[in-house]
Amino acid sequence: YYFLADQKYITVRHSRGEILIDETLKELEEEFGDRFLRIHRNALLAPQFLEGLEVNSAGQTFVRFKGIAEKLLVSRRHLSHLREKIQTL
């Protein structure tokens, strides 16, 4: 579903749970850049699991995933690129 950076580890969220790995998001983006989109300085997501976007009362945008309850924050910097990509899905 996604890669999420926290300190020096990356959480890899997948269909059966999650694991921690010791890589950087930059390395993962270089390796899997054709299959993941950056949505924040600390997050990459797999677009095939993207269900939609939602905006909270504070104006922050989050992605919703198919099959899991977690939501990830989308930075303003990456929002327009994500919206462009959603149009092609």
Side-chain angles (χ1 to χ4, degrees), residues 40-56:
H40 197 279
R41 64 179 173 81
N42 70 348
L44 300 171
L45 72 85
Q48 72 266 26
F49 297 111
L50 178 64
E51 183 174 71
L53 299 176
E54 67 180 54
V55 179
N56 69 10

Side-chain angles (χ1 to χ4, degrees), residues 49-68:
F49 297 111
L50 178 64
E51 183 174 71
L53 299 176
E54 67 180 54
V55 179
N56 69 10
S57 61
Q60 297 172 306
T61 302
F62 293 83
V63 293
R64 286 190 326 267
F65 293 96
K66 298 172 187 170
I68 61 172

Side-chain angles (χ1 to χ4, degrees), residues 12-75:
V12 180
R13 179 62 165 100
H14 53 83
S15 61
R16 291 183 297 249
E18 60 185 43
I19 60 168
L20 292 177
I21 60 173
D22 187 17
E23 289 190 53
T24 67
L25 274 185
K26 184 173 175 66
E27 292 168 340
L28 293 167
E29 192 171 28
E30 288 171 1
E31 185 175 348
F32 301 111
D34 58 331
R35 298 188 316 218
F36 284 82
L37 296 172
R38 186 172 288 269
I39 61 164
H40 197 279
R41 64 179 173 81
N42 70 348
L44 300 171
L45 72 85
Q48 72 266 26
F49 297 111
L50 178 64
E51 183 174 71
L53 299 176
E54 67 180 54
V55 179
N56 69 10
S57 61
Q60 297 172 306
T61 302
F62 293 83
V63 293
R64 286 190 326 267
F65 293 96
K66 298 172 187 170
I68 61 172
E70 291 110 295
K71 297 174 187 173
L72 293 181
L73 179 65
V74 179
S75 71

